[in-house]
Amino acid sequence: MTELASLQGQTTLSAPPNGLVPHDAHVLAGINRILQEALRASTEEELGRLCLEVAEDLTGAAFSFFGERRDSHDRLDHIAISERGWAAYTGNDPDYSRRLLPDGMKIHGIFGQVILQDRSMIVNDPASHPDRIGTPEGHPTLRNFLGVPLRRDGQTFAMFALGNHPTGFTERERAIAEELAPAIVQALLRKRAEVASRASQRRLLTLIEGIPQLVWTATRDGQWTWASPQWVEMTGLSVEQSMGHGWLAAVHPNDREAARRFWADASERGDLAMEGQLRDARTGRYRWFKTRATPVRDDHGTIVEWFGTSTDIDTLRRLRERQETLVAELQHRVRNILTIVRSIFTRTVENGGPIDEIADHFRGRLDSLARTQVVATQTRSGRVDLENLIRDELLGVGAIEDDRLSIEGPDVFLPADTAESVGLAIHELTTNALKYGALRHPTGRLHIAWHVEHISNSKCELIVKWDETGVPAMPVPPVRQGFGTELIREALPYGLGARTRLDFRGGGVLCVITLPWADEHVEAPNRSIEE
Protein backbone atom coordinates (compact mmCIF):
# COMPACT_ATOMS: atom_id res chain seq x y z
CA MET A 1 0.00 0.00 0.00
CA THR A 2 1.26 3.51 -0.79
CA GLU A 3 1.43 4.54 2.88
CA LEU A 4 4.14 1.96 3.39
CA ALA A 5 6.46 4.09 1.26
CA SER A 6 6.84 6.40 4.28
CA LEU A 7 7.71 3.91 7.01
CA GLN A 8 9.97 5.15 9.81
CA GLY A 9 11.73 3.36 12.69
CA GLN A 10 14.17 0.65 13.67
CA THR A 11 15.18 -2.20 11.39
CA THR A 12 15.97 -5.85 12.14
CA LEU A 13 17.89 -7.64 9.34
CA SER A 14 19.23 -10.68 11.17
CA ALA A 15 18.08 -14.19 10.18
CA PRO A 16 15.54 -15.82 12.49
CA PRO A 17 17.11 -18.01 15.21
CA ASN A 18 16.94 -21.79 14.93
CA GLY A 19 13.62 -23.26 15.97
CA LEU A 20 11.58 -20.14 15.16
CA VAL A 21 10.53 -21.19 11.65
CA PRO A 22 7.01 -22.44 12.29
CA HIS A 23 5.69 -25.68 10.83
CA ASP A 24 2.55 -25.82 12.93
CA ALA A 25 -0.84 -26.80 11.57
CA HIS A 26 -2.03 -23.19 11.15
CA VAL A 27 0.86 -22.23 8.87
CA LEU A 28 0.56 -25.41 6.81
CA ALA A 29 -3.18 -24.84 6.48
CA GLY A 30 -2.47 -21.28 5.29
CA ILE A 31 0.01 -22.54 2.68
CA ASN A 32 -2.46 -25.14 1.45
CA ARG A 33 -5.17 -22.53 1.25
CA ILE A 34 -2.97 -20.26 -0.86
CA LEU A 35 -2.08 -23.07 -3.28
CA GLN A 36 -5.65 -24.30 -3.55
CA GLU A 37 -7.21 -20.87 -3.95
CA ALA A 38 -4.71 -20.11 -6.69
CA LEU A 39 -6.66 -22.53 -8.87
CA ARG A 40 -9.97 -20.78 -8.20
CA ALA A 41 -8.90 -17.14 -8.30
CA SER A 42 -9.87 -15.50 -11.58
CA THR A 43 -7.24 -12.70 -11.48
CA GLU A 44 -3.82 -11.97 -9.99
CA GLU A 45 -5.36 -9.28 -7.79
CA GLU A 46 -7.92 -11.71 -6.39
CA LEU A 47 -5.15 -14.21 -5.66
CA GLY A 48 -3.02 -11.45 -4.10
CA ARG A 49 -5.81 -10.40 -1.73
CA LEU A 50 -6.19 -14.02 -0.63
CA CYS A 51 -2.45 -14.33 0.09
CA LEU A 52 -2.50 -11.10 2.08
CA GLU A 53 -5.55 -12.24 4.04
CA VAL A 54 -3.77 -15.48 5.03
CA ALA A 55 -0.63 -13.53 6.04
CA GLU A 56 -2.65 -11.05 8.12
CA ASP A 57 -4.54 -13.86 9.88
CA LEU A 58 -1.34 -15.76 10.77
CA THR A 59 0.75 -12.75 11.82
CA GLY A 60 -1.90 -10.50 13.39
CA ALA A 61 -1.18 -7.57 11.01
CA ALA A 62 -3.88 -4.92 10.56
CA PHE A 63 -3.36 -4.43 6.80
CA SER A 64 -0.94 -5.35 3.98
CA PHE A 65 0.04 -4.89 0.33
CA PHE A 66 1.70 -6.96 -2.41
CA GLY A 67 3.89 -5.29 -5.08
CA GLU A 68 6.15 -6.26 -8.02
CA ARG A 69 9.27 -4.62 -9.31
CA ARG A 70 9.01 -3.17 -12.79
CA ASP A 71 11.48 -4.06 -15.52
CA SER A 72 12.99 -0.58 -14.98
CA HIS A 73 13.96 -1.82 -11.43
CA ASP A 74 13.34 1.55 -9.76
CA ARG A 75 9.53 1.40 -9.69
CA LEU A 76 7.00 -0.83 -7.98
CA ASP A 77 3.53 -1.77 -9.25
CA HIS A 78 0.88 -3.03 -6.84
CA ILE A 79 -0.46 -6.53 -7.42
CA ALA A 80 -2.97 -6.32 -4.55
CA ILE A 81 -4.00 -4.40 -1.43
CA SER A 82 -5.81 -6.32 1.29
CA GLU A 83 -9.46 -5.62 2.08
CA ARG A 84 -8.35 -4.29 5.48
CA GLY A 85 -5.90 -1.98 3.71
CA TRP A 86 -8.60 -0.53 1.47
CA ALA A 87 -10.83 -0.02 4.52
CA ALA A 88 -8.07 1.72 6.52
CA TYR A 89 -7.63 4.52 3.96
CA THR A 90 -9.38 7.78 5.00
CA GLY A 91 -8.36 10.20 2.24
CA ASN A 92 -10.34 11.59 -0.68
CA ASP A 93 -8.17 10.23 -3.51
CA PRO A 94 -10.67 9.15 -6.24
CA ASP A 95 -8.36 6.31 -7.33
CA TYR A 96 -8.79 4.70 -3.91
CA SER A 97 -12.54 5.17 -3.96
CA ARG A 98 -12.54 3.30 -7.30
CA ARG A 99 -10.11 0.73 -5.85
CA LEU A 100 -7.50 1.45 -8.53
CA LEU A 101 -4.15 -0.06 -7.60
CA PRO A 102 -1.27 2.45 -7.40
CA ASP A 103 1.44 1.79 -9.96
CA GLY A 104 4.83 3.30 -10.65
CA MET A 105 5.81 3.90 -7.00
CA LYS A 106 9.44 4.86 -6.63
CA ILE A 107 11.41 2.22 -4.71
CA HIS A 108 12.74 4.17 -1.70
CA GLY A 109 11.97 4.71 1.94
CA ILE A 110 11.76 1.82 4.38
CA PHE A 111 9.81 -0.55 2.18
CA GLY A 112 12.36 0.03 -0.59
CA GLN A 113 15.09 -1.43 1.61
CA VAL A 114 13.37 -4.84 1.50
CA ILE A 115 13.91 -4.99 -2.25
CA LEU A 116 17.21 -3.14 -2.42
CA GLN A 117 18.83 -5.24 0.33
CA ASP A 118 16.94 -8.42 -0.64
CA ARG A 119 16.17 -9.27 2.99
CA SER A 120 13.22 -9.35 5.34
CA MET A 121 12.80 -6.29 7.57
CA ILE A 122 11.03 -5.62 10.88
CA VAL A 123 10.56 -1.94 11.79
CA ASN A 124 8.77 -1.44 15.13
CA ASP A 125 9.63 2.27 15.54
CA PRO A 126 9.11 3.90 12.14
CA ALA A 127 9.31 7.46 13.48
CA SER A 128 13.04 7.14 14.23
CA HIS A 129 14.08 5.25 11.09
CA PRO A 130 16.70 7.15 9.00
CA ASP A 131 14.94 6.30 5.67
CA ARG A 132 11.61 7.84 6.65
CA ILE A 133 10.01 9.90 3.87
CA GLY A 134 6.64 10.78 5.43
CA THR A 135 3.12 9.47 5.05
CA PRO A 136 0.70 10.82 2.38
CA GLU A 137 -2.62 12.34 3.52
CA GLY A 138 -5.35 9.78 4.15
CA HIS A 139 -3.06 6.80 4.66
CA PRO A 140 -3.33 5.06 8.04
CA THR A 141 -0.72 5.92 10.65
CA LEU A 142 1.97 3.25 10.61
CA ARG A 143 3.04 1.98 14.05
CA ASN A 144 5.16 -0.98 12.86
CA PHE A 145 6.11 -2.79 9.65
CA LEU A 146 7.20 -6.25 8.35
CA GLY A 147 8.45 -6.63 4.78
CA VAL A 148 9.40 -9.89 3.03
CA PRO A 149 11.06 -10.24 -0.40
CA LEU A 150 9.69 -12.69 -2.98
CA ARG A 151 12.27 -14.49 -5.11
CA ARG A 152 12.18 -16.16 -8.49
CA ASP A 153 15.23 -17.97 -9.87
CA GLY A 154 17.27 -16.56 -6.95
CA GLN A 155 16.34 -12.94 -7.75
CA THR A 156 13.97 -10.66 -5.83
CA PHE A 157 11.16 -9.62 -8.16
CA ALA A 158 8.43 -8.65 -5.67
CA MET A 159 7.60 -8.17 -1.99
CA PHE A 160 4.71 -8.17 0.43
CA ALA A 161 4.47 -5.92 3.46
CA LEU A 162 2.42 -6.15 6.68
CA GLY A 163 1.54 -3.23 8.95
CA ASN A 164 0.39 -2.43 12.51
CA HIS A 165 0.71 -5.53 14.65
CA PRO A 166 -1.00 -4.82 18.03
CA THR A 167 2.24 -5.31 20.01
CA GLY A 168 4.87 -5.07 17.27
CA PHE A 169 6.28 -7.73 14.94
CA THR A 170 8.62 -10.42 16.33
CA GLU A 171 10.92 -12.99 14.80
CA ARG A 172 8.06 -15.45 14.91
CA GLU A 173 5.90 -13.29 12.63
CA ARG A 174 8.84 -12.84 10.30
CA ALA A 175 9.38 -16.62 10.21
CA ILE A 176 5.72 -17.14 9.41
CA ALA A 177 5.86 -14.58 6.61
CA GLU A 178 9.04 -16.12 5.17
CA GLU A 179 7.44 -19.56 5.31
CA LEU A 180 4.50 -18.22 3.30
CA ALA A 181 6.71 -16.47 0.71
CA PRO A 182 7.55 -19.54 -1.48
CA ALA A 183 3.89 -20.57 -1.56
CA ILE A 184 2.89 -17.04 -2.60
CA VAL A 185 5.48 -17.06 -5.40
CA GLN A 186 4.38 -20.50 -6.55
CA ALA A 187 0.71 -19.50 -6.52
CA LEU A 188 1.41 -16.26 -8.41
CA LEU A 189 3.53 -17.93 -11.10
CA ARG A 190 0.99 -20.74 -11.47
CA LYS A 191 -1.79 -18.20 -11.88
CA ARG A 192 0.22 -16.28 -14.47
CA ALA A 193 0.94 -19.48 -16.39
CA GLU A 194 -2.74 -20.36 -16.25
CA VAL A 195 -3.79 -16.90 -17.42
CA ALA A 196 -1.18 -16.97 -20.19
CA SER A 197 -2.35 -20.43 -21.22
CA ARG A 198 -5.97 -19.30 -21.35
CA ALA A 199 -5.01 -16.23 -23.33
CA SER A 200 -2.96 -18.38 -25.70
CA GLN A 201 -5.87 -20.77 -26.11
CA ARG A 202 -8.23 -17.88 -26.78
CA ARG A 203 -5.87 -16.48 -29.39
CA LEU A 204 -5.45 -19.91 -30.94
CA LEU A 205 -9.20 -20.55 -31.02
CA THR A 206 -9.81 -17.08 -32.43
CA LEU A 207 -7.21 -17.76 -35.11
CA ILE A 208 -8.65 -21.20 -35.86
CA GLU A 209 -12.21 -19.88 -36.03
CA GLY A 210 -11.08 -17.10 -38.36
CA ILE A 211 -9.51 -19.34 -41.01
CA PRO A 212 -11.55 -21.06 -43.74
CA GLN A 213 -10.10 -24.52 -43.10
CA LEU A 214 -11.73 -27.24 -41.02
CA VAL A 215 -9.33 -27.95 -38.13
CA TRP A 216 -9.05 -31.03 -35.92
CA THR A 217 -6.69 -33.04 -33.73
CA ALA A 218 -6.28 -36.81 -33.59
CA THR A 219 -4.38 -39.58 -31.85
CA ARG A 220 -1.68 -41.57 -33.61
CA ASP A 221 -4.19 -44.00 -35.16
CA GLY A 222 -6.56 -41.34 -36.46
CA GLN A 223 -9.07 -41.14 -33.63
CA TRP A 224 -10.18 -37.54 -33.35
CA THR A 225 -9.89 -35.73 -30.03
CA TRP A 226 -11.17 -32.28 -31.08
CA ALA A 227 -12.87 -30.55 -34.02
CA SER A 228 -13.23 -26.86 -34.84
CA PRO A 229 -16.56 -24.97 -35.14
CA GLN A 230 -16.08 -24.84 -38.93
CA TRP A 231 -16.16 -28.64 -39.06
CA VAL A 232 -19.33 -28.75 -36.99
CA GLU A 233 -21.05 -26.11 -39.13
CA MET A 234 -20.05 -27.68 -42.45
CA THR A 235 -20.66 -31.37 -41.72
CA GLY A 236 -23.50 -31.04 -39.21
CA LEU A 237 -21.64 -33.46 -36.89
CA SER A 238 -21.16 -32.26 -33.32
CA VAL A 239 -17.76 -32.45 -31.67
CA GLU A 240 -18.94 -35.46 -29.68
CA GLN A 241 -20.23 -37.22 -32.81
CA SER A 242 -16.90 -36.62 -34.56
CA MET A 243 -14.74 -38.04 -31.78
CA GLY A 244 -12.90 -41.33 -32.32
CA HIS A 245 -13.69 -42.47 -35.85
CA GLY A 246 -17.08 -40.74 -35.88
CA TRP A 247 -15.73 -38.21 -38.40
CA LEU A 248 -15.90 -40.91 -41.09
CA ALA A 249 -19.66 -40.34 -41.24
CA ALA A 250 -19.01 -37.07 -43.11
CA VAL A 251 -16.71 -38.73 -45.66
CA HIS A 252 -18.13 -39.85 -49.01
CA PRO A 253 -18.66 -43.65 -48.99
CA ASN A 254 -16.32 -43.99 -51.98
CA ASP A 255 -13.53 -42.24 -50.05
CA ARG A 256 -13.84 -43.91 -46.65
CA GLU A 257 -11.44 -46.74 -47.42
CA ALA A 258 -8.85 -44.23 -48.65
CA ALA A 259 -9.42 -42.23 -45.46
CA ARG A 260 -8.72 -45.33 -43.37
CA ARG A 261 -5.53 -46.06 -45.36
CA PHE A 262 -4.63 -42.42 -44.77
CA TRP A 263 -3.84 -43.38 -41.17
CA ALA A 264 -2.53 -46.90 -41.74
CA ASP A 265 1.14 -45.91 -42.01
CA ALA A 266 0.87 -42.50 -40.37
CA SER A 267 3.64 -43.10 -37.84
CA GLU A 268 6.13 -44.17 -40.50
CA ARG A 269 5.38 -41.44 -43.02
CA GLY A 270 5.19 -38.56 -40.56
CA ASP A 271 3.24 -36.34 -42.95
CA LEU A 272 -0.16 -37.07 -44.47
CA ALA A 273 -2.12 -35.58 -47.34
CA MET A 274 -5.11 -36.75 -49.36
CA GLU A 275 -8.07 -35.45 -51.36
CA GLY A 276 -11.59 -36.66 -50.66
CA GLN A 277 -15.21 -35.60 -50.52
CA LEU A 278 -17.01 -34.42 -47.38
CA ARG A 279 -20.75 -33.97 -47.08
CA ASP A 280 -21.87 -30.36 -46.71
CA ALA A 281 -24.86 -30.55 -44.37
CA ARG A 282 -25.94 -27.07 -45.45
CA THR A 283 -26.56 -28.10 -49.07
CA GLY A 284 -26.74 -31.88 -48.83
CA ARG A 285 -24.05 -32.43 -51.46
CA TYR A 286 -20.45 -33.55 -51.22
CA ARG A 287 -17.55 -31.15 -51.71
CA TRP A 288 -13.90 -31.90 -52.42
CA PHE A 289 -11.41 -31.17 -49.61
CA LYS A 290 -7.65 -31.49 -49.39
CA THR A 291 -6.70 -32.85 -45.97
CA ARG A 292 -3.26 -32.52 -44.42
CA ALA A 293 -2.06 -33.77 -41.05
CA THR A 294 1.13 -32.73 -39.25
CA PRO A 295 2.52 -34.71 -36.30
CA VAL A 296 3.14 -33.26 -32.85
CA ARG A 297 6.17 -34.95 -31.30
CA ASP A 298 7.50 -35.22 -27.76
CA ASP A 299 11.09 -34.56 -26.69
CA HIS A 300 12.09 -38.01 -27.92
CA GLY A 301 10.63 -37.51 -31.38
CA THR A 302 7.68 -39.82 -30.78
CA ILE A 303 4.40 -38.77 -32.37
CA VAL A 304 1.88 -38.04 -29.62
CA GLU A 305 -0.81 -36.23 -31.60
CA TRP A 306 -1.78 -35.08 -35.08
CA PHE A 307 -2.89 -31.57 -36.03
CA GLY A 308 -4.94 -31.58 -39.20
CA THR A 309 -6.68 -29.20 -41.59
CA SER A 310 -9.16 -29.87 -44.37
CA THR A 311 -9.26 -27.18 -47.07
CA ASP A 312 -12.18 -26.75 -49.46
CA ILE A 313 -10.86 -27.27 -53.01
CA ASP A 314 -14.19 -28.09 -54.61
CA THR A 315 -14.34 -24.97 -56.78
CA LEU A 316 -10.66 -25.26 -57.69
CA ARG A 317 -11.02 -28.94 -58.59
CA ARG A 318 -14.10 -28.31 -60.73
CA LEU A 319 -12.32 -25.44 -62.48
CA ARG A 320 -9.38 -27.75 -63.12
CA GLU A 321 -11.67 -30.42 -64.54
CA ARG A 322 -13.42 -27.77 -66.63
CA GLN A 323 -10.05 -26.55 -67.88
CA GLU A 324 -9.05 -30.07 -68.87
CA THR A 325 -12.36 -30.47 -70.68
CA LEU A 326 -11.90 -27.14 -72.46
CA VAL A 327 -8.38 -28.05 -73.54
CA ALA A 328 -9.64 -31.35 -74.92
CA GLU A 329 -12.50 -29.55 -76.67
CA LEU A 330 -10.10 -26.96 -78.04
CA GLN A 331 -7.83 -29.65 -79.44
CA HIS A 332 -10.83 -31.33 -81.03
CA ARG A 333 -12.11 -28.04 -82.41
CA VAL A 334 -8.75 -27.14 -83.90
CA ARG A 335 -8.45 -30.53 -85.59
CA ASN A 336 -12.04 -30.24 -86.80
CA ILE A 337 -11.56 -26.72 -88.15
CA LEU A 338 -8.36 -27.72 -89.94
CA THR A 339 -10.21 -30.63 -91.49
CA ILE A 340 -13.01 -28.31 -92.62
CA VAL A 341 -10.55 -25.76 -94.03
CA ARG A 342 -8.69 -28.51 -95.89
CA SER A 343 -11.98 -29.81 -97.29
CA ILE A 344 -13.10 -26.32 -98.28
CA PHE A 345 -9.84 -25.64 -100.04
CA THR A 346 -9.82 -28.99 -101.86
CA ARG A 347 -13.42 -28.72 -103.10
CA THR A 348 -13.04 -25.06 -104.04
CA VAL A 349 -9.98 -25.79 -106.18
CA GLU A 350 -11.55 -28.93 -107.70
CA ASN A 351 -14.52 -26.91 -108.91
CA GLY A 352 -12.10 -25.06 -111.14
CA GLY A 353 -12.54 -21.66 -112.72
CA PRO A 354 -10.40 -18.51 -112.86
CA ILE A 355 -7.99 -18.06 -109.99
CA ASP A 356 -9.71 -14.86 -108.84
CA GLU A 357 -13.04 -16.67 -108.66
CA ILE A 358 -11.46 -19.56 -106.73
CA ALA A 359 -9.89 -17.08 -104.29
CA ASP A 360 -13.21 -15.28 -103.77
CA HIS A 361 -15.02 -18.55 -103.06
CA PHE A 362 -12.33 -19.71 -100.67
CA ARG A 363 -12.19 -16.36 -98.86
CA GLY A 364 -15.97 -16.21 -98.47
CA ARG A 365 -16.13 -19.69 -96.99
CA LEU A 366 -13.28 -18.97 -94.58
CA ASP A 367 -14.98 -15.73 -93.53
CA SER A 368 -18.18 -17.64 -92.81
CA LEU A 369 -16.26 -20.15 -90.71
CA ALA A 370 -14.43 -17.33 -88.89
CA ARG A 371 -17.68 -15.55 -88.03
CA THR A 372 -19.01 -18.70 -86.44
CA GLN A 373 -15.83 -19.11 -84.36
CA VAL A 374 -15.98 -15.51 -83.13
CA VAL A 375 -19.57 -15.90 -81.93
CA ALA A 376 -18.82 -19.28 -80.29
CA THR A 377 -15.86 -17.92 -78.31
CA GLN A 378 -17.83 -14.90 -77.06
CA THR A 379 -20.27 -17.01 -75.04
CA ARG A 380 -19.50 -19.06 -71.92
CA SER A 381 -21.46 -22.00 -73.29
CA GLY A 382 -19.67 -21.93 -76.66
CA ARG A 383 -23.05 -22.05 -78.44
CA VAL A 384 -24.17 -19.94 -81.39
CA ASP A 385 -27.52 -18.22 -81.83
CA LEU A 386 -29.02 -19.61 -85.07
CA GLU A 387 -30.84 -16.36 -85.93
CA ASN A 388 -27.66 -14.27 -85.54
CA LEU A 389 -25.75 -16.81 -87.62
CA ILE A 390 -28.25 -16.44 -90.49
CA ARG A 391 -28.50 -12.64 -90.22
CA ASP A 392 -24.69 -12.22 -90.21
CA GLU A 393 -24.43 -14.17 -93.47
CA LEU A 394 -27.14 -12.11 -95.13
CA LEU A 395 -25.76 -8.79 -93.84
CA GLY A 396 -22.39 -9.80 -95.25
CA VAL A 397 -23.86 -9.56 -98.78
CA GLY A 398 -25.99 -6.49 -98.03
CA ALA A 399 -29.32 -8.32 -97.64
CA ILE A 400 -31.61 -6.86 -95.01
CA GLU A 401 -35.05 -7.96 -93.83
CA ASP A 402 -37.81 -6.26 -95.86
CA ASP A 403 -40.87 -7.28 -97.88
CA ARG A 404 -38.64 -9.56 -99.98
CA LEU A 405 -36.81 -11.21 -97.08
CA SER A 406 -38.30 -12.69 -93.92
CA ILE A 407 -36.62 -14.56 -91.05
CA GLU A 408 -38.50 -16.21 -88.20
CA GLY A 409 -38.07 -18.91 -85.57
CA PRO A 410 -37.65 -19.48 -81.83
CA ASP A 411 -34.44 -18.85 -79.89
CA VAL A 412 -32.15 -21.73 -80.78
CA PHE A 413 -28.48 -22.08 -79.78
CA LEU A 414 -26.31 -24.42 -81.81
CA PRO A 415 -23.29 -26.30 -80.48
CA ALA A 416 -20.10 -24.94 -82.06
CA ASP A 417 -19.45 -27.96 -84.32
CA THR A 418 -23.05 -27.93 -85.55
CA ALA A 419 -22.90 -24.16 -86.11
CA GLU A 420 -19.76 -24.53 -88.27
CA SER A 421 -21.45 -26.88 -90.71
CA VAL A 422 -24.86 -25.13 -90.70
CA GLY A 423 -23.12 -21.76 -91.09
CA LEU A 424 -21.27 -23.00 -94.18
CA ALA A 425 -24.54 -24.35 -95.60
CA ILE A 426 -26.23 -20.95 -95.06
CA HIS A 427 -23.22 -19.28 -96.68
CA GLU A 428 -23.49 -21.50 -99.77
CA LEU A 429 -27.23 -20.90 -100.06
CA THR A 430 -26.69 -17.14 -99.65
CA THR A 431 -23.97 -17.09 -102.31
CA ASN A 432 -26.15 -19.06 -104.71
CA ALA A 433 -29.15 -16.78 -104.06
CA LEU A 434 -26.99 -13.73 -104.67
CA LYS A 435 -25.69 -15.07 -107.99
CA TYR A 436 -28.69 -16.88 -109.37
CA GLY A 437 -31.66 -16.72 -107.03
CA ALA A 438 -33.92 -14.60 -104.88
CA LEU A 439 -31.26 -12.09 -103.81
CA ARG A 440 -30.45 -11.30 -107.45
CA HIS A 441 -33.83 -10.91 -109.10
CA PRO A 442 -36.14 -8.03 -108.12
CA THR A 443 -39.14 -10.37 -108.16
CA GLY A 444 -37.48 -12.92 -105.88
CA ARG A 445 -38.63 -13.66 -102.35
CA LEU A 446 -36.73 -15.45 -99.61
CA HIS A 447 -38.36 -16.90 -96.51
CA ILE A 448 -36.14 -18.51 -93.85
CA ALA A 449 -37.79 -20.25 -90.90
CA TRP A 450 -37.05 -22.89 -88.30
CA HIS A 451 -38.82 -24.71 -85.52
CA VAL A 452 -38.36 -27.60 -83.10
CA GLU A 453 -40.62 -30.57 -83.63
CA HIS A 454 -41.22 -33.15 -80.90
CA ILE A 455 -41.08 -36.66 -82.36
CA SER A 456 -41.49 -38.54 -79.07
CA ASN A 457 -40.92 -38.02 -75.34
CA SER A 458 -37.18 -38.47 -75.81
CA LYS A 459 -36.61 -37.17 -79.34
CA CYS A 460 -36.83 -33.78 -81.02
CA GLU A 461 -35.79 -32.40 -84.38
CA LEU A 462 -34.68 -28.93 -85.44
CA ILE A 463 -36.05 -28.17 -88.89
CA VAL A 464 -34.49 -25.26 -90.84
CA LYS A 465 -36.19 -24.25 -94.10
CA TRP A 466 -34.73 -22.00 -96.84
CA ASP A 467 -37.46 -21.20 -99.37
CA GLU A 468 -36.92 -19.02 -102.47
CA THR A 469 -39.81 -17.96 -104.69
CA GLY A 470 -40.35 -15.56 -107.60
CA VAL A 471 -37.10 -16.48 -109.35
CA PRO A 472 -37.20 -16.95 -113.15
CA ALA A 473 -37.34 -20.68 -113.90
CA MET A 474 -34.04 -22.36 -114.67
CA PRO A 475 -34.21 -24.81 -117.59
CA VAL A 476 -32.49 -27.66 -115.70
CA PRO A 477 -30.74 -28.23 -112.30
CA PRO A 478 -26.97 -27.56 -112.25
CA VAL A 479 -25.12 -30.19 -114.22
CA ARG A 480 -22.09 -30.19 -111.91
CA GLN A 481 -22.42 -30.76 -108.12
CA GLY A 482 -20.56 -27.95 -106.39
CA PHE A 483 -19.19 -27.60 -102.86
CA GLY A 484 -22.47 -26.27 -101.43
CA THR A 485 -24.55 -29.07 -102.91
CA GLU A 486 -22.13 -31.71 -101.65
CA LEU A 487 -22.02 -30.07 -98.20
CA ILE A 488 -25.81 -30.08 -97.82
CA ARG A 489 -26.58 -33.45 -99.39
CA GLU A 490 -23.60 -35.45 -98.10
CA ALA A 491 -21.53 -33.70 -95.42
CA LEU A 492 -24.42 -32.69 -93.12
CA PRO A 493 -25.98 -36.17 -93.05
CA TYR A 494 -22.59 -37.75 -92.51
CA GLY A 495 -21.23 -35.31 -89.88
CA LEU A 496 -24.39 -34.33 -87.99
CA GLY A 497 -26.79 -37.18 -88.66
CA ALA A 498 -29.07 -34.73 -90.50
CA ARG A 499 -31.71 -35.35 -93.14
CA THR A 500 -31.51 -32.84 -95.96
CA ARG A 501 -33.51 -31.85 -99.00
CA LEU A 502 -32.14 -29.58 -101.74
CA ASP A 503 -34.40 -28.82 -104.71
CA PHE A 504 -33.56 -26.50 -107.61
CA ARG A 505 -37.13 -25.63 -108.55
CA GLY A 506 -38.55 -23.36 -111.12
CA GLY A 507 -38.93 -20.20 -109.06
CA GLY A 508 -36.02 -20.73 -106.66
CA VAL A 509 -34.15 -23.10 -104.37
CA LEU A 510 -35.85 -25.04 -101.57
CA CYS A 511 -33.55 -26.42 -98.87
CA VAL A 512 -34.76 -28.23 -95.74
CA ILE A 513 -32.26 -29.33 -93.08
CA THR A 514 -33.58 -31.60 -90.31
CA LEU A 515 -31.21 -32.09 -87.34
CA PRO A 516 -31.50 -34.38 -84.31
CA TRP A 517 -32.13 -32.07 -81.38
CA ALA A 518 -32.31 -31.84 -77.58
CA ASP A 519 -34.82 -29.76 -75.62
CA GLU A 520 -32.16 -27.79 -73.70
CA HIS A 521 -30.94 -26.18 -76.96
CA VAL A 522 -34.19 -24.27 -77.49
CA GLU A 523 -35.70 -21.63 -75.24
CA ALA A 524 -39.22 -22.57 -74.12
CA PRO A 525 -41.89 -20.35 -75.76
CA ASN A 526 -44.02 -18.04 -73.65
CA ARG A 527 -47.42 -19.52 -72.88
CA SER A 528 -50.58 -17.68 -71.85
CA ILE A 529 -52.69 -18.57 -68.82
CA GLU A 530 -55.45 -19.83 -71.12
CA GLU A 531 -53.11 -22.50 -72.47
Side-chain angles (χ1 to χ4, degrees), residues 21-39:
V21 178
H23 293 285
D24 59 42
H26 295 294
V27 177
L28 292 177
I31 292 174
N32 288 333
R33 183 184 173 195
I34 289 173
L35 296 178
Q36 290 172 5
E37 292 292 336
L39 301 176

Side-chain angles (χ1 to χ4, degrees), residues 47 56 60 67 189 242 296 408 528:
L47 173 64
E56 289 171 350
L189 297 183
S242 304
V296 179
E408 60 178 338
S528 65

Side-chain angles (χ1 to χ4, degrees), residues 363-373 393 423-424 427:
R363 185 182 302 110
R365 289 159 182 164
L366 283 185
D367 288 346
S368 174
L369 188 62
R371 282 193 293 272
T372 303
Q373 300 306 313
E393 283 295 338
L424 282 173
H427 171 75

Side-chain angles (χ1 to χ4, degrees), residues 385-387 389-390 407-410 412-414 418 421-423 425-426 429 446-453 461-467 488 492 496 498-502 509-517:
D385 184 349
L386 175 58
E387 181 175 352
L389 180 69
I390 293 171
I407 303 171
E408 60 178 338
V412 169
F413 298 91
L414 305 173
T418 301
S421 299
V422 173
I426 298 298
L429 291 169
L446 174 58
H447 178 62
I448 306 171
W450 62 91
H451 69 279
V452 175
E453 189 170 301
E461 289 182 336
L462 171 63
I463 301 173
V464 182
K465 184 177 181 180
W466 177 288
D467 189 8
I488 293 171
L492 292 184
L496 303 179
R499 300 195 314 275
T500 61
R501 174 185 174 186
L502 180 61
V509 171
L510 171 66
C511 178
V512 181
I513 302 172
T514 303
L515 294 164
W517 204 242

Side-chain angles (χ1 to χ4, degrees), residues 461-497:
E461 289 182 336
L462 171 63
I463 301 173
V464 182
K465 184 177 181 180
W466 177 288
D467 189 8
E468 297 180 32
T469 58
V471 179
M474 298 180 65
V476 292
V479 177
R480 180 171 55 85
Q481 179 169 293
F483 173 78
T485 302
E486 181 178 331
L487 171 69
I488 293 171
R489 288 178 173 169
E490 299 179 15
L492 292 184
Y494 177 79
L496 303 179

Side-chain angles (χ1 to χ4, degrees), residues 423-450:
L424 282 173
I426 298 298
H427 171 75
E428 294 302 317
L429 291 169
T430 301
T431 301
N432 183 78
L434 186 65
K435 287 186 175 183
Y436 312 110
L439 298 181
R440 176 179 179 182
H441 297 283
T443 58
R445 299 287 186 272
L446 174 58
H447 178 62
I448 306 171
W450 62 91

